[in-house]
Short mmCIF file of all heavy atoms in Angstrom, two decimals:
data_model
loop_
_atom_site.label_atom_id
_atom_site.label_comp_id
_atom_site.label_asym_id
_atom_site.label_seq_id
_atom_site.Cartn_x
_atom_site.Cartn_y
_atom_site.Cartn_z
N LYS A 977 -2.10 -19.06 18.83
CA LYS A 977 -0.88 -19.56 19.59
C LYS A 977 -0.87 -21.08 19.51
O LYS A 977 -1.84 -21.70 19.66
CB LYS A 977 -0.88 -19.02 21.07
CG LYS A 977 0.26 -19.48 21.85
CD LYS A 977 0.06 -19.04 23.27
CE LYS A 977 1.19 -19.56 24.21
NZ LYS A 977 1.26 -21.04 24.24
N GLY A 978 0.39 -21.66 19.47
CA GLY A 978 0.51 -23.03 19.49
C GLY A 978 0.20 -23.60 20.82
O GLY A 978 0.40 -22.92 21.85
N GLY A 979 -0.10 -24.93 20.91
CA GLY A 979 -0.36 -25.54 22.22
C GLY A 979 0.92 -25.71 23.07
O GLY A 979 1.98 -25.98 22.48
N ASP A 980 0.78 -25.62 24.38
CA ASP A 980 1.92 -25.86 25.23
C ASP A 980 2.02 -27.31 25.50
O ASP A 980 1.04 -28.15 25.52
CB ASP A 980 1.69 -25.11 26.59
CG ASP A 980 1.61 -23.64 26.43
OD1 ASP A 980 2.13 -23.10 25.41
OD2 ASP A 980 1.04 -22.92 27.34
N GLY A 981 3.34 -27.73 25.72
CA GLY A 981 3.53 -29.12 26.08
C GLY A 981 3.20 -29.43 27.48
O GLY A 981 3.12 -28.58 28.37
N LYS A 982 2.99 -30.73 27.87
CA LYS A 982 2.64 -31.11 29.15
C LYS A 982 3.99 -31.43 29.95
O LYS A 982 4.99 -31.85 29.35
CB LYS A 982 1.80 -32.44 29.13
CG LYS A 982 0.45 -32.21 28.35
CD LYS A 982 -0.47 -31.35 29.19
CE LYS A 982 -1.85 -31.47 28.62
NZ LYS A 982 -2.08 -31.09 27.22
N ASP A 983 3.91 -31.31 31.25
CA ASP A 983 5.09 -31.64 32.11
C ASP A 983 5.38 -33.09 32.16
O ASP A 983 4.38 -33.91 32.04
CB ASP A 983 4.77 -31.16 33.49
CG ASP A 983 4.66 -29.61 33.64
OD1 ASP A 983 4.90 -28.99 32.70
OD2 ASP A 983 4.30 -29.15 34.85
N THR A 984 6.60 -33.47 32.25
CA THR A 984 7.04 -34.81 32.47
C THR A 984 7.32 -34.97 33.93
O THR A 984 7.98 -34.17 34.55
CB THR A 984 8.26 -35.12 31.60
OG1 THR A 984 7.97 -35.12 30.27
CG2 THR A 984 8.91 -36.51 32.01
N ILE A 985 6.78 -36.05 34.55
CA ILE A 985 6.75 -36.20 36.03
C ILE A 985 7.24 -37.59 36.47
O ILE A 985 6.88 -38.61 35.86
CB ILE A 985 5.40 -36.00 36.53
CG1 ILE A 985 4.89 -34.58 36.21
CG2 ILE A 985 5.35 -36.16 38.04
CD1 ILE A 985 3.41 -34.31 36.54
N ILE A 986 8.17 -37.66 37.42
CA ILE A 986 8.50 -38.91 38.13
C ILE A 986 8.08 -38.83 39.53
O ILE A 986 8.45 -37.90 40.25
CB ILE A 986 10.11 -39.06 37.96
CG1 ILE A 986 10.50 -39.15 36.52
CG2 ILE A 986 10.57 -40.36 38.68
CD1 ILE A 986 12.02 -39.18 36.29
N LYS A 987 7.49 -39.92 39.96
CA LYS A 987 7.04 -39.98 41.40
C LYS A 987 7.69 -41.32 42.02
O LYS A 987 7.54 -42.32 41.43
CB LYS A 987 5.50 -40.01 41.50
CG LYS A 987 4.86 -38.72 41.16
CD LYS A 987 3.35 -38.82 41.34
CE LYS A 987 2.65 -37.57 41.00
NZ LYS A 987 1.17 -37.69 41.20
N VAL A 988 8.33 -41.07 43.14
CA VAL A 988 8.88 -42.26 43.88
C VAL A 988 8.95 -41.92 45.35
O VAL A 988 9.40 -40.86 45.77
CB VAL A 988 10.28 -42.65 43.31
CG1 VAL A 988 11.24 -41.44 43.32
CG2 VAL A 988 10.88 -43.84 44.02
#
Side-chain angles (χ1 to χ4, degrees):
K977 178 183 176 302
D980 297 338
K982 301 291 195 302
D983 294 353
T984 292
I985 300 171
I986 299 175
K987 293 181 179 180
V988 55

